[in-house]
Amino acid sequence: MSACTAYSSDPDLDVSDVSGNGVEIDVARNLMDGTIRLSVLWTDEIHLSPEGAKQVAYALLRAAGDSRILYRDVVVGGERREDPA
């Protein structure tokens, strides 16, 4: 018999794949043991410790910060321009 788990998803998170293929991200906290589940819906999932979740969050924030100017320069008004390379 497996242990019962109860996850609570972040209600403010609304992230999906930019290619429009229906893949979504879900971050949920296990109310039983405090671990964090980061799910890439319709494919795989990964379970993280609270510290692991913090590291992923910081990595995402760094990546977003590093990519913001490039993304804005390459994508204008929702239409992709020619790659700058």
Side-chain angles (χ1 to χ4, degrees):
M1 180 179 230
S2 64
C4 180
T5 59
Y7 285 93
S8 176
S9 293
D10 183 334
D12 296 327
L13 183 64
D14 183 17
V15 177
S16 59
D17 190 281
V18 295
S19 68
N21 62 9
V23 174
E24 299 173 347
I25 299 295
D26 178 61
V27 175
R29 184 170 56 97
N30 184 315
L31 300 175
M32 305 286 280
D33 64 9
T35 58
I36 308 298
R37 180 185 71 199
L38 171 63
S39 299
V40 180
L41 302 177
W42 324 124
T43 57
D44 283 321
E45 66 180 36
I46 183 171
H47 296 262
L48 303 171
S49 69
E51 183 60 30
K54 181 179 174 181
Q55 290 177 29
V56 170
Y58 282 135
L60 289 169
L61 287 170
R62 285 191 303 272
D66 292 345
S67 299
R68 188 165 305 209
I69 292 170
L70 176 62
Y71 185 81
R72 186 182 62 222
D73 289 345
V74 174
V75 178
V76 178
E79 295 184 89
R80 187 165 179 81
R81 295 190 327 202
E82 223 175 87
D83 285 336

